[in-house]
Amino acid sequence: MSADANAARMKRKAYEKELGKLQVELCYLQEWVKSNKLRVIVLFEGRDAAGKGGTIKAITEKVSPRVFRVAALPAPSDREKTQLFLQRYMQQFPAAGEIVIFDRSWYNRAGVEYVMGFCTPAEHKRFLSLCPQMEKYIIEGGIILIKLWLEVGMDEQERRFEARIDDPLRQWKLSPMDLESYQRWYDYSRARDLMLKATSTKHSPWYIIRSDDKRRARLNCIAHLLKLIPHKRMKKSEVKLPKRSNKGRYNDQTGLRRMTFVAERY
């Protein structure tokens, strides 16, 4: 990557300042969703190393996991392979007052399953045909459905994969499937184009986020998410800590003296 490209990346201080503002707004959204018993699904798709995990972490970092719930499903079990394709995903759908974030979703069938041959061409074609109808049914059932695709460039993806190889904190992110997807860049590009053409509809469009600069991508994503879910700040009653009762007062540290404490190394 060129020096100019690196210089154009958003600085950490500016990023953290803007992220803080957006995370406050996410907390306001959280209260609105709870109060109005909304049901929201947010799908995150994109190439490997596009920054899905970091973006989801930025969204969920300051909110309640009881409202913002992340669904990152593993590969299907032998039993799940015999179910209707969408069945295991529907089990994760939100109840009233919940936002479910899918870190990859049923669109696996349009991406990795299709490219790697885990489904047949007929199954892939049927999925692309039926998916818009299924999503229309979900939306008509009262669920807000938001589909986000993070698009990383070829050079930036290579840089991120290279960075994972020698970093013990990120090596776990580099799987054999990632290496296979790296080789098949254009196969994934064609699969992406087929998916977007078939499933970006008026009632359920795809929103594309360029993610070569992870910080800008996270901010743009959160800002867009907040825009797509109209909300207002809830008026909350003033909270004051009550006075502690001295009833039954005793030295509550005495009972800990014979217990084993963790060594204070830091």
Side-chain angles (χ1 to χ4, degrees), residues 9 43 115 173 198 220 249 253:
R9 292 185 181 278
L43 304 186
V115 173
K173 292 185 177 183
N220 289 330
R249 182 176 179 178
Q253 295 301 300

Side-chain angles (χ1 to χ4, degrees), residues 52-262:
K52 294 180 292 296
T55 303
I56 291 171
K57 182 179 179 181
I59 292 170
T60 59
E61 189 176 22
K62 302 296 184 181
V63 292
S64 170
R66 290 184 291 274
V67 178
F68 282 78
R69 181 162 55 84
V70 178
L73 275 60
S77 65
D78 290 341
R79 179 176 182 275
E80 287 172 333
K81 289 177 183 177
T82 67
Q83 297 175 342
L84 289 173
F85 175 69
L86 195 67
Q87 191 169 336
R88 73 191 192 112
Y89 295 102
M90 292 192 74
Q91 294 173 8
Q92 302 293 328
F93 277 21
E98 288 184 344
I99 298 174
V100 175
I101 299 175
F102 278 92
D103 185 353
R104 295 206 182 275
S105 65
W106 49 88
Y107 280 98
N108 274 340
R109 174 133 299 179
V112 63
E113 290 190 16
Y114 173 59
V115 173
M116 301 302 297
F118 298 151
C119 70
T120 66
E123 288 172 329
H124 174 251
K125 184 177 180 180
R126 178 173 171 80
F127 171 80
L128 293 182
S129 174
L130 294 179
C131 191
Q133 300 175 45
M134 177 272 294
E135 291 177 352
K136 188 174 183 181
Y137 173 76
I138 291 172
I139 293 166
E140 289 176 348
I143 292 177
I144 298 171
L145 176 62
I146 299 170
K147 302 188 301 190
L148 303 171
W149 176 274
L150 271 62
E151 180 66 17
V152 66
M154 181 186 287
D155 292 342
E156 178 61 15
Q157 185 195 57
E158 181 176 356
R159 189 192 69 79
R160 292 177 187 178
F161 277 159
E162 290 284 357
R164 291 176 180 182
I165 291 174
D166 299 317
D167 186 346
L169 296 178
R170 289 187 283 182
Q171 285 174 350
W172 63 271
K173 292 185 177 183
L174 194 62
S175 69
M177 195 65 68
D178 292 328
L179 298 177
E180 192 66 33
S181 73
Y182 176 80
Q183 294 185 80
R184 302 191 185 201
W185 175 271
Y186 290 109
D187 290 339
Y188 273 93
S189 294
R190 292 186 184 94
R192 176 204 62 196
D193 293 344
L194 286 171
M195 181 198 77
L196 295 176
K197 183 178 179 180
T199 64
S200 190
T201 60
K202 185 176 180 180
H203 61 269
S204 182
W206 278 100
Y207 297 99
I208 315 299
I209 301 166
R210 292 206 175 274
S211 64
D212 280 8
D213 185 330
K214 288 184 178 181
R215 291 169 183 166
R216 295 185 193 278
R218 291 168 190 170
L219 298 179
N220 289 330
C221 178
I222 297 173
H224 189 64
L225 187 61
L226 290 165
K227 181 181 177 181
L228 290 175
I229 310 174
H231 60 283
K232 297 178 181 178
R233 296 184 182 184
M234 303 292 296
K235 188 175 182 180
K236 302 189 75 172
S237 57
E238 186 179 351
V239 177
K240 291 184 178 181
L241 288 176
K243 186 177 180 181
R244 280 202 174 117
S245 171
N246 284 323
K247 185 177 180 180
R249 182 176 179 178
Y250 75 107
N251 185 346
D252 60 1
Q253 295 301 300
T254 302
L256 299 177
R257 289 174 183 168
R258 295 183 179 179
M259 304 305 295
T260 302
F261 280 78
V262 172

Side-chain angles (χ1 to χ4, degrees), residues 42-56:
V42 183
L43 304 186
F44 275 91
E45 294 288 345
R47 296 184 184 274
D48 292 313
K52 294 180 292 296
T55 303
I56 291 171

